[in-house]
Amino acid sequence: MELSAGNRTGTRLEDRVKDWSSRHRRWLVAGLWALVVLLIVGYSVREPVRDWWLAHEACGGQLPSGELEIVRTDLRLGETEESFDAEDGTYSCVLRDENGKVVVAVDAYPEGRERDQELGLAGTSRPPHAVLPGGLPGFEDENSLVYLMPECPRAGRTPAEQHRLLVGTWTYFAHSSAEKAAMLRLAVHMTNVVTGKLGCGGEPLPAPADGAVPDEGTYVPRARAKGTACDALATTRVPAAGRDGEVRIAIADGGIVGRCTLRATETYEDAREGAAIIELTAWRGDWGPRVREMGSGPDPLPMGRGITRRPALTEHRAWAVAKCDGDDVGFAAHWGQDYPDRHRKPGTKYVPPTEAEQYEQRVLLRTYVSAFAADQVRRGACTDLKLPEKPEKPEKPEKPGKPEKPGKPAA
């Protein structure tokens, strides 16, 4: 029955809308719920999709997805940045999580001031924190930072003058063995990506063996270091504090930096238990002039280029040089950071070493670096070994003589 004018509540159009909505109420409610569900699903999918996109786009899309899944946490990814300058030879990329912490960061440093600064910082932290397996040219620094230094000749350079690129790869969350192995594979992969971008040429670095991780070194009793890469600490005269000590062997084939450390295992008045007594280090490649290694004295190691790269000797450290496969190689010997400890007793006045003591320290350090360098050169088939000159022995102070007897007065 058609409604009379008295029953109408609005205009003809409004009445038609009300009539239609009453007949389609069920479909309107269903559609509204469908819209709500779509909004919820869309929001829940948006974050995973963004997460996937960031992982896929980071570092030019070159981050291996399997390794990334291992070294990252359950947090969502937050942002990624990348820069590359083919002319300058620089490359940088970083992937952060939603809290701004680094998940993966890769930086390449060509020869120059920035690389010298980076290597100077690495050298100060007493590398290697861990050596790399499989002959990889690099080491792990503290905080899961892997440095690789592949050869990267520049245009116009002869093979004998080629230099090494420095590529640092940092994975903030790598702690377990599985994470460390993934970190190492990721670092090698990204280093090969960078050398390819820069046109370095040559064969790419070999992928690490399955499960291979950086090695923090082997600790053995001093006597058992004989015949190893740290033989020099077992076959030379060492201070009493280290005679029955242990040796940390952290030297790997193909490594860029290796270390032998003699540590005290008994408490002596001049070295507490576990303190480093003597440090021997081998440095391969062009590190620049800024390495100030702990225990090596007030001056940086003399790691200059060309003719400035020559032997040196002080009471703090000894330095020898050689050539290995076209690379400059340096060998250092110096006292541990806490040895000799002349500030041992609080309140006592510092007494500088006498000339005789300084001479004895130079003699010992020269002995250590000579034995270490000769052994390393033999193992690596290196040439042109140059050792520091023998120190000059200080003259003994003249003892006061007896007064001459007075002669007879002249006639």
Side-chain angles (χ1 to χ4, degrees):
M1 182 178 75
E2 188 173 335
L3 293 174
S4 65
N7 292 330
R8 297 181 182 275
T9 58
T11 64
R12 183 184 296 271
L13 178 61
E14 289 174 341
D15 290 338
R16 288 180 178 178
V17 169
K18 289 179 181 179
D19 183 56
W20 183 91
S21 63
S22 64
R23 285 186 284 120
H24 296 83
R25 184 183 306 276
R26 181 181 300 175
W27 293 106
L28 287 173
V29 172
L32 181 61
W33 278 110
L35 179 61
V36 171
V37 170
L38 286 174
L39 289 173
I40 294 174
V41 170
Y43 182 81
S44 63
V45 169
R46 183 178 67 88
E47 287 301 310
V49 168
R50 182 173 182 272
D51 197 84
W52 172 87
W53 184 85
L54 285 171
H56 181 75
E57 292 296 313
C59 299
Q62 292 293 334
L63 288 181
S65 58
E67 277 67 45
L68 179 59
E69 283 300 315
I70 294 173
V71 300
R72 60 173 292 191
T73 66
D74 293 334
L75 291 174
R76 295 293 185 192
L77 299 179
E79 60 178 353
T80 181
E81 299 172 13
E82 183 185 27
S83 64
F84 172 58
D85 191 319
E87 184 176 347
D88 291 341
T90 58
Y91 176 82
S92 176
C93 75
V94 62
L95 174 63
R96 295 184 176 88
D97 65 19
E98 60 187 352
N99 291 337
K101 284 190 175 181
V102 171
V103 177
V104 177
V106 181
D107 292 285
Y109 304 88
E111 185 178 18
R113 184 175 61 86
E114 288 188 6
R115 192 190 68 169
D116 286 352
Q117 289 178 338
E118 187 71 12
L119 286 174
L121 292 173
T124 301
S125 63
R126 299 172 69 186
H129 174 70
V131 296
L132 305 185
L136 291 170
F139 62 96
E140 182 192 0
D141 200 2
E142 296 177 323
N143 301 319
S144 302
L145 173 57
V146 172
Y147 286 111
L148 286 164
M149 297 174 69
E151 295 178 357
C152 189
R154 292 181 299 177
R157 281 201 164 197
T158 65
E161 295 174 315
Q162 64 192 14
H163 83 299
R164 291 180 179 272
L165 182 71
L166 174 67
V167 182
T169 303
W170 183 34
T171 53
Y172 182 88
F173 301 104
H175 301 292
S176 69
S177 295
E179 291 164 345
K180 289 283 189 179
M183 170 195 73
L184 185 58
R185 294 192 299 268
L186 195 151
V188 171
H189 174 81
M190 290 307 301
T191 297
N192 287 335
V193 168
V194 172
T195 56
K197 280 180 171 288
L198 296 178
C200 294
E203 293 294 324
L205 297 178
D210 186 35
V213 297
D215 182 4
E216 294 184 13
T218 303
Y219 291 86
V220 300
R222 177 174 171 251
R224 287 180 51 196
K226 190 172 183 179
T228 70
C230 299
D231 178 86
L233 293 177
T235 56
T236 55
R237 177 171 62 94
V238 299
R243 288 174 191 164
D244 298 320
E246 61 180 4
V247 175
R248 177 200 178 205
I249 304 172
I251 295 182
D253 292 338
I256 292 299
V257 57
R259 183 177 301 273
C260 301
T261 305
L262 176 63
R263 306 197 313 177
T265 54
E266 295 184 28
T267 303
Y268 286 83
E269 63 177 2
D270 59 348
R272 69 178 184 275
E273 183 177 358
I277 305 299
I278 301 164
E279 301 264 20
L280 304 177
T281 44
W283 307 80
R284 188 184 186 104
D286 185 6
W287 283 71
R290 298 173 182 259
V291 176
R292 292 179 178 269
E293 197 179 16
M294 293 180 182
S296 62
D299 300 319
L301 295 178
M303 302 177 75
R305 305 172 178 86
I307 60 173
T308 63
R309 199 178 183 95
R310 55 179 180 267
L313 179 65
T314 71
E315 65 269 25
H316 302 290
R317 48 107 173 121
W319 179 254
V321 296
K323 286 279 188 181
C324 297
D325 297 327
D327 269 330
D328 285 327
V329 180
F331 305 98
H334 60 78
W335 305 113
Q337 184 181 3
D338 299 322
Y339 184 88
D341 186 1
R342 295 182 175 273
H343 301 280
R344 182 174 57 256
K345 296 178 182 179
T348 59
K349 185 178 179 181
Y350 170 72
V351 179
T354 65
E355 286 190 6
E357 289 174 327
Q358 292 179 8
Y359 169 76
E360 179 66 12
Q361 291 174 4
R362 290 190 182 97
V363 168
L364 287 174
L365 289 176
R366 184 182 183 277
T367 300
Y368 303 144
V369 82
S370 298
F372 179 58
D375 183 58
Q376 291 295 307
V377 165
R378 177 182 59 81
R379 291 171 183 270
C382 304
T383 61
D384 199 23
L385 174 61
K386 296 178 182 178
L387 302 173
E389 296 183 358
K390 292 182 178 180
E392 293 186 8
K393 194 170 185 177
E395 296 182 2
K396 292 184 179 180
E398 294 184 3
K399 294 181 180 180
K402 295 181 180 180
E404 296 183 4
K405 294 180 180 181
K408 293 182 180 181

